[in-house]
Structure formats: C-alpha cells, structure tokens
Amino acid sequence: MAALHYTIRPVDPAAHLFEVELELDAPQSGMRFSLPVWIPGSYMIREFARNIVWLRAEADGTSVPIAKTDKHRWQLGKLPAGASSLKISYAVYAWDLSVRCAHLDRSHGFFNGTQVFIAVEGREHQPHRVTIDAPSDPALSDWIVATALPEAGAPRHGFGDYEAASYDELIDHPVEMGRLTRFEFQVRGVPHEFFINGAHDCDTARLAVDLEKACTEQCALFGDAPPPFARYVFLTTVIGEGHGGLEHRASTALLASRNDLPWRGMKKPSEGYIGFLGLCSHEYLHSWNVKRIKPAAFKPYDLAQENYTKLLWLFEGFTSYYDDLALVRAGLISPDEYLKIVAKTVNGVRRAAGRKVQSLTESSFDAWIKYYRQDENSPNAIVSYYTKGALVALCLDLALREKSGGERSLDDVMRHLWAQRGEDSAGVAEDEMPEIIRAATGIDLGRLVHALTEGCEELPLQKVLHGVGVELAWDAESEAPVLGAKTAADGDQLRLVNVYPDGPAHRAGLSAGDTLIALDGLRISASRLDGLLARHAAGDVLKVHAFRRDELIETELVLAEPEAIKAKLSLAARASAPVRARRNAWLGQS
C-alpha cells in the first residue's frame, strides 16, 4: 500500500454518489483532515465539504472516532494501541454540472480533486496514489477514463491506479469518465488529447486542425521550447446551453453548447465556434499564465481561505487579451473578425457604470465577494478584471509598439515573465508589473500602468488604436429613447433586471426587481417595449405603473437619449507604412 492511497468509485450514478476510501500508514491519534473550500482559478469560497454525505474511520479494521471541527476539517480521536493503518471512507454527492465541482449520472462521471479528495494535514507533500474504479453496472462497462493524472499501472484511458507527487498535484488533474469521443494532435512534439462527453455532431477533424494552430500560436508566445507538460488534455462536456472553462496544470475542463462545436460542411466559422476556440485558447494559455507564472500571493495556495491579490487583471485580463489575438495570428479568423471581438469587449466594459467606481486592482482584490457573487447592482458597482483587463493589455501592448517604433511589445513582457517568474520562482509581487515591463522592454510605462489599473478614468483606446491604423467610432445602440434599465421577460410581464445610476428609471424611483405593467395607461410586455419606445422621443414623459413585490407603484419617467456606447472598429484605409507595419506585426499578418 502507498503511503497515501485513495480509491474512488462511482457507486450509484442514479443517486449521483461517489464513494472514496483514503488509506494511510503510521496513523496518529488527533490527526487532522480537510477538504478545500475553493478551487484555484475560481475565486469564490464554495465549501465543497457540504457535499460529503457521510464519513467514518477505522484503524486496522476497527471503528475509531472522527469528529468534524469546523466546516471543512475533521479530527481523528484516540487510536487503539499499536494501530498501523487507517482507512477513512466517505460518500460525495456529485450533481453540479460545472467545471468546478463533480457530476455523476448514468451518462458520465466527472470530478475535481478539490471536491472528492480529503487532505491529510501535514502529509500534503507525500506521494498520493489513486485507484479509479469502474462502475459496477454492466451497462456502463464501455466507459473510459480521461485525465492528465499520471498512470501508475492503469492503462491509458482505463480504470486503475494513478499517482501524483503531492496533494497539490493530485487536485490539479480533473477526471472524466464515460462514453467519450476522443481525438489527438501534436504541438511541438507534445501529444494533446481532446475528449467530448455528450451528444454532438462535431467535425473533430476540423477542430483538431484548428486547435493545433491556436495552441501552437500560444506556445510560440513564450519562445521556442515545447510546452511545459508531457501531455495535455481537454475535457469537454457539451450541453444545450453552456459556456465555461477552468485551467489546470496539464489539462482544462470545459463546458460548451453543442451548437458551438464545428459541424461537417460548415464553411465560415460561426460566432459560437469562434467563441469556443477562444475559450480553448484562453484555458490553454493559463498553463503558463497563472498555473506557472503566479501572483506571489498564490505561492503556495491556501485552500482553507481566500487568497487575496490585486493582480487578477494580469492573470485573467492578459489571458483574455491573448486568447482571441492568438486566433487571428494563427489565421483562424480575419483581422476584421478579430476587431469585431475587440469591439464587443469594449462595448461590455463601456455599458457598465461600475467602470467609473471600481478600479481593476479593487476588482481583483474583491473577486471573492463581488465578481463571483453578482447581484442586480453589480453593473453599477463593479468592473470585470477579465474584460477591462484585456483592454488594459491591449493599451499596454499598442503603447509599447508605438513608443519603440515596433521593436518591443507585450509579447516581450510575457516572455520575460516566463523566463523570470515561471515554474519555481517566488511569483509576481503585487506592485511589480511596471518594473517587469521596463526590464522586458526598456520602456517605462509606470504612470500608464498605475492610471489604467488603479484609476477609473476611460481607457485611451482611440489613441493607442490609432497608432496601429485602427479607427474607433462610437454609435448609439438604438435610435429610440431609453428607460435607463435592463429589462427581461418574466412570463408575459416585463421585469427590471438592472437600473442604471442617474438614468430615467433611477430618477423615477424604480428599482431592479420591479415589474412594469403599464406605460401611459397601456399594458406593457417585453415584446411591446421596443415598439412603444420607437414612437417616442427623448424628453417625453411616460406615466408608469409597476409592482414592487405586491405593492402598486405609480410614477413618471422622462425618457433619455441613448448613449453613444457602441464601439465600431475598422482598419484605417490610409495608414502610413510604419503604422501598417506595426499593425501587421500586432495581428501576425505577413
């Protein structure tokens, strides 16, 4: 028996239950065990221990006491004299269809180690052996296993023994099991496997070719060496509607709409497929940027509580910048298609009033309580370190290109980060990025970095884009006047989802959650709103009837002009030769 040996079994797919056994030698009375309360890459306390259904312990075959001491820890009681081995058994309820937790039914099984493997405190750095058992139901005998976890006797894609050098490595290799579609491609001699769970009509040959191009481009960002793993695995679950990903050291877990996958005969890439390629590109780049180049605050992770950093704009924002940029550089989308994606990002940031009150460093620090726990006021109070962080990366990249005459770029910064802050380094300190940029490029952008990340002023997009021959124009999203609120259909009624500060709905005393029932004495619904607004002009006064809970509200609302917040990006027709050269280098065009 290995020093630490887990066995995990999909004992009851219909009840969504995994059973886990943890065996260890040389047990001691009072030993403590714990389960993480969050998973790296998803910055919210999730309290995985709530899914433990039951737990018991026995030493040398005899039951011994084990008590819970807080929400995620257990402590062993007094052991019999001379006890040489300990087994802890427990059941895990797995019914969270996401990339963060665990899910089990008769169609497949999936788990992250943070939800199913209890840690032995003080022994986290020992080797950890895992036996993954097959389901006992003969109808599921054709299931296979997909994981980047190193085999220790198990056949490739089979049930059996796997191993990890430490607990940290153990929980960084998610596992998928089921009837999976599989294909493979190579990046610089390293095998990359892609698995799909769920009904689909994917053109896997096309997806393999396109992913190989995107991954090769991301690898090239960091130099000429092979990627920093021996094998990489994409684990994808497809459903009717879904989108999400979570990075790991040699794999990623993805959730996607089946309609976003390419189909045989598809000619031009659909918007959904481009988005899916961007998602794969994003999670793949994380293999460098956050899995190995980390904030100093994450070295090591403390999985018992929040780990605060002001740098998520770097680790998520820069990754969000390069995920789509890699697609145009790899020739998977055109420059015009790429500019449409950037414009969509600009629009998302510009629509949210939260950009005026929360800085990127504040957004990063407060991710634990704000970004991952959004409510009806979030658009007015927060800014996304993903989307605004991507635009900050764009601003820094284009500023470096212009100041250096095209000789330096953000690519140099990423390569410098990999060389100096990758793998076994101490990580990136909270206020270190201006010096890292200067060391990588010889250019001092300290004041700009501070303004873009610590302040709430509008980003200098027009200026930096002009430097690469891209024109930015602003339009209103509609010709009709606006309510100053986001609405949604609620059955046959119209509900206010968000009310924007200083807008017509706000000034009229309306709030998120209110249900509009009549405007100017006429019943209103989601299907009728646009037509009604089109018949009015800014400044018109509407009499509003609404329900707040079960109480009727009567008020007057003054319609406003729509804001010019819709960005349109286009290649400048008359850019100079140096500007065109910088643009081509930026977009990877010959």
Side-chain angles (χ1 to χ4, degrees):
M1 181 178 68
L4 293 174
H5 186 184
Y6 298 85
T7 301
I8 182 166
R9 304 183 182 95
V11 292
D12 193 342
H16 323 301
L17 290 176
F18 285 106
E19 282 189 10
V20 184
E21 292 178 354
L22 166 59
E23 299 173 271
L24 60 139
D25 54 14
Q28 296 178 338
S29 299
M31 292 182 73
R32 294 166 65 89
F33 306 85
S34 62
L35 199 63
V37 301
W38 66 285
I39 183 168
S42 184
Y43 306 105
M44 187 176 84
I45 298 299
R46 298 188 183 275
E47 297 168 342
F48 296 123
R50 64 191 175 89
N51 292 307
I52 300 293
V53 179
W54 54 261
L55 182 146
R56 56 177 175 261
E58 57 184 59
D60 297 338
T62 301
S63 177
V64 294
I66 186 169
K68 203 167 188 183
T69 58
D70 62 28
K71 66 182 180 182
H72 71 114
R73 287 190 178 93
W74 295 260
Q75 186 167 18
L76 194 64
K78 185 174 179 55
L79 291 171
S84 60
S85 66
L86 178 73
K87 180 167 70 174
I88 297 178
S89 306
Y90 52 97
V92 180
Y93 182 66
W95 195 234
D96 185 330
L97 188 58
S98 74
V99 298
R100 299 175 299 269
C101 299
H103 191 264
L104 175 65
D105 61 15
R106 290 179 60 81
S107 71
H108 84 130
F110 170 80
F111 61 82
N112 283 290
T114 47
Q115 181 158 347
V116 299
F117 295 133
I118 289 176
V120 183
E121 296 191 357
R123 297 196 185 183
E124 293 91 345
H125 299 293
Q126 293 182 8
H128 288 58
R129 177 71 61 96
V130 178
T131 300
I132 304 175
D133 279 351
S136 59
D137 187 342
L140 308 182
S141 62
D142 56 348
W143 279 20
I144 64 172
V145 174
T147 182
L149 193 64
E151 298 97 347
R156 180 62 53 90
H157 312 137
F159 293 92
D161 289 346
Y162 294 79
E163 64 182 355
S166 64
Y167 183 78
D168 181 65
E169 181 182 342
L170 174 68
I171 62 172
D172 212 6
H173 292 291
V175 174
E176 178 77 68
M177 61 183 75
R179 300 179 185 95
L180 311 175
T181 301
R182 174 191 173 274
F183 62 85
E184 183 175 330
F185 58 93
Q186 300 269 327
V187 176
R188 295 187 174 179
V190 175
H192 289 54
E193 293 183 286
F194 197 101
F195 293 88
I196 305 175
N197 167 65
H200 66 88
D201 60 354
C202 179
D203 183 349
T204 57
R206 175 171 186 161
L207 182 54
V209 170
D210 290 349
L211 277 179
E212 186 274 331
K213 292 178 180 178
C215 293
T216 298
E217 190 62 47
Q218 294 290 31
C219 194
L221 179 62
F222 296 97
D224 298 327
F229 34 74
R231 179 169 65 105
Y232 192 86
V233 179
F234 292 89
L235 305 175
T236 302
T237 293
V238 294
I239 56 177
E241 295 294 333
H243 185 84
L246 189 63
E247 70 275 3
H248 297 275
R249 66 181 59 196
S251 62
T252 180
L254 305 170
L255 187 69
S257 165
R258 60 177 55 89
N259 291 331
D260 290 344
L261 299 180
W263 60 90
R264 291 175 179 83
M266 184 179 73
K267 296 178 180 178
K268 183 179 180 181
S270 67
E271 183 177 346
Y273 180 46
I274 293 172
F276 179 70
L277 287 175
L279 174 65
C280 294
S281 176
H282 181 102
E283 303 305 336
Y284 188 74
L285 180 60
H286 270 318
S287 302
W288 290 264
N289 196 35
V290 90
K291 294 311 298 183
R292 290 168 174 85
I293 309 167
K294 294 182 181 181
F298 288 177
K299 301 197 81 162
Y301 292 118
D302 182 349
L303 297 175
Q305 61 185 356
E306 296 90 340
N307 291 199
Y308 292 102
T309 176
K310 298 186 294 181
L311 289 174
L312 294 183
W313 59 269
L314 164 62
F315 292 97
E316 292 294 352
F318 279 32
T319 304
S320 296
Y321 171 60
Y322 277 107
D323 56 18
D324 294 316
L325 185 58
L327 303 186
V328 67
R329 287 178 170 179
L332 296 171
I333 59 176
S334 69
D336 286 335
E337 288 172 318
Y338 174 65
L339 293 182
K340 288 180 182 178
I341 294 172
V342 176
K344 185 177 179 180
T345 302
V346 173
N347 295 341
V349 173
R350 192 64 178 259
R351 285 192 195 103
R355 75 185 192 281
K356 300 178 180 179
V357 297
Q358 187 186 52
S359 71
L360 274 180
T361 55
E362 291 169 337
S363 175
S364 300
F365 194 85
D366 277 344
W368 300 91
I369 59 172
K370 291 190 176 182
Y371 185 80
Y372 279 89
R373 299 172 67 180
Q374 296 191 27
D375 58 26
E376 66 283 346
N377 193 52
S378 293
N380 304 329
I382 69 173
V383 69
S384 167
Y385 50 78
Y386 286 91
T387 53
K388 187 177 179 182
L391 296 181
V392 165
L394 170 71
C395 290
L396 295 175
D397 191 7
L398 301 189
L400 287 168
R401 291 175 187 274
E402 184 167 17
K403 286 180 178 291
S404 68
E407 296 297 318
R408 293 289 182 265
S409 71
L410 198 63
D411 299 0
D412 296 295
V413 177
M414 299 306 293
R415 281 189 281 273
H416 180 87
L417 278 168
W418 178 235
Q420 302 298 323
R421 296 291 188 274
E423 294 289 7
D424 299 323
S425 77
V428 181
E430 293 296 286
D431 300 314
E432 196 177 7
M433 275 309 293
E435 175 55 29
I436 286 174
I437 293 173
R438 188 202 61 75
T441 66
I443 298 172
D444 184 0
L445 291 185
R447 292 180 64 182
L448 181 61
V449 172
H450 184 272
L452 299 184
T453 63
E454 302 277 352
C456 297
E457 296 79 13
E458 300 293 0
L459 301 176
L461 294 170
Q462 200 129 19
K463 179 178 184 298
V464 296
L465 288 166
H466 179 75
V468 289
V470 174
E471 296 177 344
L472 168 60
W474 296 99
D475 291 324
E477 295 189 282
S478 164
E479 294 182 359
V482 296
L483 298 174
K486 180 180 179 181
T487 61
D490 187 3
D492 62 349
Q493 297 179 319
L494 186 66
R495 182 170 53 87
L496 299 184
V497 178
N498 308 114
V499 172
Y500 305 136
D502 299 322
H506 174 207
R507 290 192 289 267
L510 297 171
S511 299
D514 291 349
T515 299
L516 301 186
I517 57 174
L519 296 178
D520 270 0
L522 298 176
R523 181 182 172 189
I524 191 64
S525 65
S527 61
R528 295 172 181 168
L529 179 62
D530 289 344
L532 183 145
L533 293 177
R535 294 172 177 268
H536 286 274
D540 287 357
V541 179
L542 300 183
K543 188 172 183 180
V544 178
H545 286 84
F547 274 112
R548 181 170 299 164
R549 298 178 297 276
D550 59 349
E551 298 179 16
L552 183 65
I553 298 170
E554 296 182 39
T555 186
E556 289 186 341
L557 180 148
V558 182
L559 293 172
E561 288 278 3
E563 288 186 82
I565 58 173
K566 184 178 181 180
K568 181 180 180 181
L569 299 179
S570 58
L571 300 176
R574 296 185 178 181
S576 67
V579 167
R580 289 198 306 272
R582 288 200 297 271
R583 183 173 69 201
N584 289 340
W586 169 46
L587 299 178
Q589 309 297 298
S590 57

